[in-house]
Amino acid sequence: MTGSTVTTGGAGAPAPAKDRSPDGNGKGPGFMAGPAGRLLGLVVAFALLCVVGAVTAPDRFVDIDNVLTILRLAAVVGVVSIGMTFVIIGGGIDLSVGALVALSSVWATTLATQQMAEDFHWIVMVFTAIAVGAGAGLVNGIVIAYGRLVAFIATLAMLVSARGLAEIIANRRTQIVQDQGFLDFFGGDVLGVPSLVVIWALVSVAGWVLLNRTTFGRHTFAVGGNAEAARLAGIRVQWHTLKLYVLSGVTCGIAAVMLMARTTTGVSTHGTLMELQAIAAVVIGGTLLVGGRGTIVGTVLGVLILITLGNVFVLNNLSSSAQAVVQGLIIVLAVLLQTRLAEGRGGFGWLTGSRSGRGESSSGGPVAGGTPAGAVSGGTSTPGAPGGDRPGTGSTP
Amino acid sequence: MVSKSLGVGVMTGAAGTGGNSSSGAPLLEMRGIVKTFPGVRALDGVDLDVRAGEVHCLLGQNGAGKSTLIKVLAGAHQPDGGRIEWRGEPVSLSNPQAAMKHGIATIYQELDLVSGLTVADNIFLGRERSRFGLARPAPANDAAGKLLARLGHPEIRPTAEAGSLPAAAQQMVSIARALSQDAKLIVMDEPSAVLDNEEVQHLFEVIRDITRDGVAVVYISHRLEEIREVGDRITVLKDGRTVATGLPVRDTTTRQVIELMTGRDIEFVFPDRRPVADAEPLLSVRDLGLRGTFRDVSFDVRPGEVVGLAGLVGSGRSEILETVYGARRATSGTVTVAGRRLRHGSVAAAVSAGVGLAPEERKSQALLLGDAVYRNISIASLARFVRGGFLSGGPEKEAAREQVQALDVRPADVTREVRTLSGGNQQKVVLARWLLRDCRVLLLDEPTRGVDVGARSEIYALVRELADRGVAVVVVSSEIPEVLGLADRVLVISDGSVVAQEPADALDEHAVLDLVMEGTVDPHRRADRKHATAQQHEGDVA
């Protein structure tokens, strides 16, 4: 994903406006802009949503079975979202996750695989699903990291062809999971908690450790935050990018197993639009789409918010169409808030029409667009200023 | 080095004498312009006045403030102080649109055409002619064709795609755009940098042509001989200040201009050199080449030695550094570190051999701006903080804290986001990264770019201290005094080749300037200079 050249800059032009940092003497961005503040905001949003649910459908919402339903639904998307979080923090995107879930589920439930599972152990199906996911992720990774294709296009192509392949393998039929051991294991519960939810929790914890307590995680932040700086610090950016997509593929494989257990089927329509749900959850969770910043806890909360919202709508007998509209609004709101907060502009200033931060106030206030988020909000670079554009620093080539 | 009286004398000499083609009140008058960025005072009281119909040359070394000044003029930066008068009226150029409305157009070095649009579309971008909401390409093409013909370039088709044109033609399109906006003042930022000789001559004709119509041109170039050819008056900037304004070109010698550009009010304190022990070279570069950029570069750096690369922008000096580091793949030659030959084009190989690079563009090439200081420092040495497969944050922060204290990074808070630090402290963070990795060879590209004047000596002392600890250091800088003051030995790079390799104290700033301008300064004079330098050197020794 790195550019092939290093620019040397022209004639000592000072860094363009959008490159400058906010005032060095002031305190950093406000509390709400910090990771803790953002997570707190999510918790509050989630709590509000629960209050709305409890008020509008008091009997049905506050019910242990309903809670378990929400969690079970959230688990599958939740696992995929963990992989997606890594890819997005690393400066990429994976649109193929839904299709990979379908492909993995179909491949793991073919007659041949099920026969092997019967002869040996149902774990064969699990391994098959994960291997298929990882393999497809590897293809994504190779094409993106070494073929230098834009991640959006590469994974879009994978989305289309993986689902096509799933249809070919399943011959557009629904494949029933025969192995009772498999269904018992994944359909059961641990101390009253459904296995699926336990798996989601385990994957999330593992993801958190991997992101925050390993070299791999640190390199992910570096590659997504500034690929060129990461390369010049000796990180093998392409190799790392490849690993990120494999990781995403693995989570798709795990999700496929979970979906097979929940539905007792493998079918090529599994995971339809799951990529949108996962990306939405990650973004709601405060991970920057341009990379370099994000949290696992945020993603988990993002998934919970998204799924609980759906649940509240269903309990109130509202149509799924209305639900879709509201989901869209929430995504836009989340990104808007996120961008503003990341720019350290105190959140709601833009609502009250204070636009002073947009240009460069001579008082040396925080300069708009100093953050990677500036790229998301767009239009923060001053027209007429020479493009400070440096090959190889963008999140995508 | 520079006599103060010279500058003053020249300035008073300039006052009152008219340029050759202009008269009357100035078109533009800037007084005491101040612009500060976090940690840097880019402009510190700049004066400039430009008359209608003149070619006013803006000169200064890198970092003198030229680019900032023209961005102020273009409305892209707002000054923190000072006054701008346009045709006798005070104005505020609060954004690029305002500047354009007044008739100030800027042609940047990086041409800002939309490459997918046609020439005519580009010229009238933002002011498209339409009827009932539909674009009317025919009149636009017509008008564009007329403009280009007036500029003497009828061969540029208005319907051609801008991106498909050569650089010179694109520049003409930019000029046509400025003229179509009825610009009274056109700022050209190093327009000749992308042109060959013949194209430059063509450009000059166009400039003469448009100034004859009363349009003023502010012309920025590093090439003094161009200024002599096309310019009327000169303003020289240095360290964010105007050191001379309104010098008539014909009464000013090249020598005077160079001295105005290079003479310093602030003498930097460079640390003392120690004799370098006669050891095996730590870094050894042999016949290194990168096709189309530089060739046959060979040099050795012993432990404790600082080698400087001096040269103009575009001479290949930064590219040499990046190729040694593996950030560019060499097409010939070898790089050896402590007897181990490095694989070409592999940064990871260089880093694991103990080489570190502090790149030219700190913010875009070295720092994770939104990350904490300690994470920026530890990123190249994470492996040593891994315990049983997991990173342990405690030792990592502790190690970073030690580096921050050793290098005196202020504020000494390792959890602070690196973006909030000043340029000098950011540079220290980059150095800390490599110190934490115990690197043996340190490559520094423009180590004091964007660093406050006061903080520079600290960086210099630091570099010397590292060398004294046995690190081999290579420094690239466009500030010649910096290279001369810091390095033990200097390689002068011109046009992709090493034209001289001498001990730093055998060279002075003028000698280096003459060497790097090789081919533009007449050879006879250059020989003279060399001779003079040698004599001077002998004198020093005696």
Side-chain angles (χ1 to χ4, degrees), chain B residues 454-516:
Chain B
R456 289 187 181 188
S457 346
E458 281 183 60
I459 301 275
Y460 297 148
L462 204 57
V463 170
R464 182 46 67 180
E465 196 190 311
L466 290 176
D468 290 345
R469 275 198 245 160
V471 176
V473 183
V474 184
V475 179
V476 161
S477 174
S478 42
E479 302 208 20
I480 293 157
E482 185 168 292
V483 178
L484 292 177
L486 204 51
D488 298 300
R489 199 150 42 83
V490 176
L491 273 68
V492 182
I493 317 289
S494 174
D495 205 15
S497 354
V498 179
V499 293
Q501 171 157 199
E502 290 184 57
D505 43 17
L507 290 165
D508 70 9
E509 197 172 351
H510 298 300
V512 175
L513 265 178
D514 285 352
L515 281 167
V516 299

Side-chain angles (χ1 to χ4, degrees), chain B residues 97-168:
Chain B
Q97 287 76 22
M100 254 175 245
K101 217 160 67 199
H102 284 299
I104 301 173
T106 307
I107 297 166
Y108 290 104
Q109 217 173 335
E110 307 88 352
L111 294 167
D112 49 0
L113 299 180
V114 184
S115 53
L117 291 180
T118 68
V119 167
D121 287 341
N122 266 291
I123 291 177
F124 298 108
L125 194 63
R127 297 163 297 121
E128 291 82 359
R129 298 155 180 223
S130 60
R131 175 179 287 172
F132 311 126
L134 296 173
R136 300 174 64 214
N141 287 341
D142 233 39
K146 273 185 196 137
L147 268 170
L148 289 164
R150 182 184 148 201
L151 290 175
H153 285 269
E155 81 283 359
I156 303 175
R157 283 183 304 116
T159 51
E161 204 177 283
S164 68
L165 298 175

Side-chain angles (χ1 to χ4, degrees), chain A residues 384, chain B residues 70 73-74 104-108 112 174 178 185-189:
Chain B
I70 64 165
L73 202 47
I104 301 173
T106 307
I107 297 166
Y108 290 104
D112 49 0
S174 288
L185 174 68
I186 302 181
V187 182
M188 299 186 185
D189 188 5

Side-chain angles (χ1 to χ4, degrees), chain A residues 246-308:
Chain A
V246 172
L247 177 69
S248 175
V250 167
T251 57
C252 291
I254 297 173
V257 171
M258 296 162 76
L259 208 52
M260 280 151 54
R262 210 182 76 200
T263 62
T264 71
T265 59
V267 61
S268 61
T269 53
H270 269 341
T272 305
L273 292 187
M274 193 178 275
E275 60 280 352
L276 295 186
Q277 280 184 305
I279 294 169
V282 170
V283 167
I284 291 174
T287 296
L288 290 183
L289 262 182
V290 288
R293 253 187 231 198
T295 60
I296 295 291
V297 180
T299 296
V300 170
L301 286 167
V303 172
L304 282 174
I305 289 176
L306 215 57
I307 301 295
T308 308

Side-chain angles (χ1 to χ4, degrees), chain A residues 88-92 219-227 230 290-293 393-395, chain B residues 368:
Chain A
I88 291 180
I89 292 176
H219 286 182
T220 305
F221 281 110
V223 167
N226 189 340
V290 288
R293 253 187 231 198
T393 59
S395 52
Chain B
L368 308 166

Side-chain angles (χ1 to χ4, degrees), chain A residues 6 9 15 33 38 46 67-68 71 93 109 117 125 165 195 207 255 285 302 319 390:
Chain A
V6 178
R38 248 175 285 150
F46 182 54
V67 172
L68 290 183
L71 288 177
I93 190 98
T109 51
M125 290 163 69
L165 185 59
S195 301
S319 71
R390 299 165 299 271

